[in-house]
Amino acid sequence: MDRPNIVFFVPDELRADTLACYGHPLSKTPNYDRLAAQGTRFANCHVQFTVCGASRCSLLTGWPTHVRGHRSLYYFLRPEEPNLFRYLRRAGYDVYWFGKNDALAAASFADSVTEWRDRSPPLSPELARAYAGGGVVPGAVTMLFDAYGDRRATADWANLEDAFRILRKTDHERPFCIFLPLLQPHPPYRAPEGFHDLYRPDDLPPLAPPNLAGKPAFHEALRRRAGLDTLSEDVFRRIRAVYLGQVSYTDWLLGELMDVLDQTGRADDTALFVASDHGDYAGDYGLIEKWPAGLEDGLTHVPLIVRLPGGAAGHVVEEMVELYDIMPTMLDLAGTRATHTHFARSLTPQLHGAAGDPARAAFTEGGYNPFEPQAF
């Protein structure tokens, strides 16, 4: 086939093990499951870093974070550094970005992105200060809040509507890539009505308990610092239940996107990628959110599902892959390649039914660099 359009749907902080097609016994995710049945599901995809900005910088470059830094929430890819979207632009693609930016410095947008719009609300001053100080929000012990109202009144829905506008256009002169970095299921733990209380805490499988032997010292330190050590297991089960509701909300969003692809005929010429930047403790170990030195499976293991027109259907790759393999895979589909040295591998053969590499390992690293500049 000719070079496909690309849609890249990226819920924020989505654990692989919360999707039914990855084995969760209760999760209602029919659209992730439908996509897996229509394409290729990578059963063991792991991220390079368990914080948003660092993970996304690795994703766009094929670099482990230690290569050029980018270990934080605020130090992003500069114009002199490569990125996936600039390569696509130079290969003749229009690149549309609808959602949050945790990847590119401001000066990198001009030659990497055709249109960028983010309907996400700005961070409150309290949240901004808290994230700059390490991510623990003083005073918001559980990050558990009341439900939203209408499912179509969220920033994620607004960003999706911008994608629908591009998909419904009939006068595209160039192939396009639509990047959808959404907010859900990132904390605060809060979902629209109809999803917020979709799961009963008492029905859920057991959580990983706190104070397990051999766990890193930062577990206990985080629980003390954030006041999490004062909470009962019932609270953490409620957090997990709402988080699963958020996951199901992203599934609904994905279903709406897939329906528009079908209605416009774009499903026949568009590769749909679904992945996430990292997971979330969501109550495991008596913790919430994530941590830059956290290497537990709930943080490193994310979904990766790809539907390619003419590609394999219902294929499962059990072998290990890494999140940044998306970069050379998309470039392969676009008929171009990276011209910088990187460490990622194209997964195009697997999208056509090949097995993975049984000897492959995945590498995740952690830790902030206190000398790294904290600015865009």
Side-chain angles (χ1 to χ4, degrees):
M1 64 177 295
D2 293 334
R3 299 187 302 167
N5 304 308
I6 298 169
V7 173
F8 190 13
F9 181 88
V10 185
D12 193 340
E13 216 150 310
L14 175 61
R15 293 169 58 142
D17 64 0
T18 58
L19 304 184
C21 59
Y22 280 84
H24 196 283
L26 297 177
S27 186
K28 298 176 175 65
T29 54
N31 296 300
Y32 289 108
D33 304 345
R34 172 164 59 121
L35 185 65
Q38 295 173 352
T40 296
R41 179 175 67 88
F42 294 87
N44 288 290
C45 178
H46 289 261
V47 304
Q48 281 59 64
F49 201 95
T50 55
V51 169
C52 305
S55 177
R56 293 168 194 239
C57 287
S58 286
L59 164 63
L60 296 185
T61 58
W63 287 339
T65 48
H66 66 262
V67 170
R68 291 289 292 268
H70 302 296
R71 289 178 173 270
S72 78
L73 293 166
Y74 300 102
Y75 184 48
F76 298 157
L77 296 169
R78 301 180 298 278
E80 68 271 19
E81 296 177 294
N83 76 76
L84 165 64
F85 297 126
R86 183 183 294 123
Y87 281 126
L88 288 175
R89 285 289 304 278
R90 290 177 177 174
Y93 276 67
D94 283 321
V95 175
Y96 300 96
W97 180 319
F98 302 124
K100 62 181 285 190
N101 173 33
D102 274 343
L104 296 187
S108 296
F109 272 84
D111 64 354
S112 301
V113 179
T114 307
E115 178 185 342
W116 175 38
R117 181 176 297 178
D118 182 10
R119 307 301 187 100
S120 308
L123 281 180
S124 68
E126 180 191 28
L127 279 172
R129 286 193 299 272
Y131 285 138
V136 175
V137 183
V141 175
T142 64
M143 292 289 280
L144 183 59
F145 293 92
D146 293 336
Y148 293 103
D150 185 355
R151 67 184 67 185
R152 290 182 172 85
T154 68
D156 282 350
W157 176 254
N159 286 319
L160 213 61
E161 286 190 307
D162 277 323
F164 298 162
R165 168 173 56 86
I166 301 303
L167 292 171
R168 289 175 175 138
K169 284 180 61 175
T170 58
D171 58 347
H172 289 283
E173 297 180 356
R174 295 150 51 97
F176 58 81
C177 172
I178 302 175
F179 180 41
L180 290 166
L182 305 181
L183 293 176
Q184 294 276 14
H186 192 292
Y189 302 106
R190 182 186 192 200
E193 292 176 358
F195 296 96
H196 191 85
D197 295 313
L198 187 59
Y199 300 92
R200 286 169 30 91
D202 290 345
D203 294 340
L204 302 182
L207 303 179
N211 302 313
L212 290 172
K215 284 299 177 183
F218 77 79
H219 276 207
E220 183 180 354
L222 278 177
R223 286 192 292 268
R224 281 200 317 269
R225 178 183 173 189
L228 298 170
D229 56 349
T230 66
L231 304 179
S232 69
E233 182 184 353
D234 289 345
V235 174
F236 290 112
R237 292 181 71 81
R238 174 64 178 157
I239 288 169
R240 176 62 64 87
V242 174
Y243 176 77
L244 286 175
Q246 294 176 271
V247 170
S248 288
Y249 177 57
T250 69
D251 179 84
W252 178 79
L253 293 169
L254 175 62
E256 294 295 299
L257 174 62
M258 293 173 70
D259 288 348
V260 171
L261 284 165
D262 288 339
Q263 293 158 10
T264 58
R266 289 297 181 189
D268 297 330
D269 63 10
T270 300
L272 176 56
F273 285 69
V274 171
S276 187
D277 51 358
H278 53 80
D280 189 298
Y281 285 120
D284 276 339
Y285 313 109
L287 295 170
I288 61 171
E289 274 263 24
K290 70 277 186 180
W291 194 248
L295 301 178
E296 295 83 8
D297 219 51
L299 300 188
T300 69
H301 184 202
V302 295
L304 174 56
I305 309 171
V306 184
R307 184 181 69 186
L308 176 68
H315 182 43
V316 179
V317 176
E318 296 287 352
E319 295 82 5
M320 200 79 71
V321 300
E322 301 187 74
L323 184 67
Y324 61 19
D325 294 338
I326 289 171
M327 185 272 295
T329 304
M330 287 189 180
L331 294 185
D332 247 4
L333 298 180
T336 188
R337 65 181 185 87
T339 56
H340 70 284
T341 299
H342 64 83
F343 301 87
R345 305 186 195 180
S346 174
L347 303 175
T348 306
Q350 286 72 44
L351 300 186
H352 290 282
D357 178 358
R360 181 91 185 266
F363 297 90
T364 303
E365 59 186 289
Y368 280 142
N369 178 357
F371 301 105
E372 183 177 290
Q374 299 297 304
F376 285 18

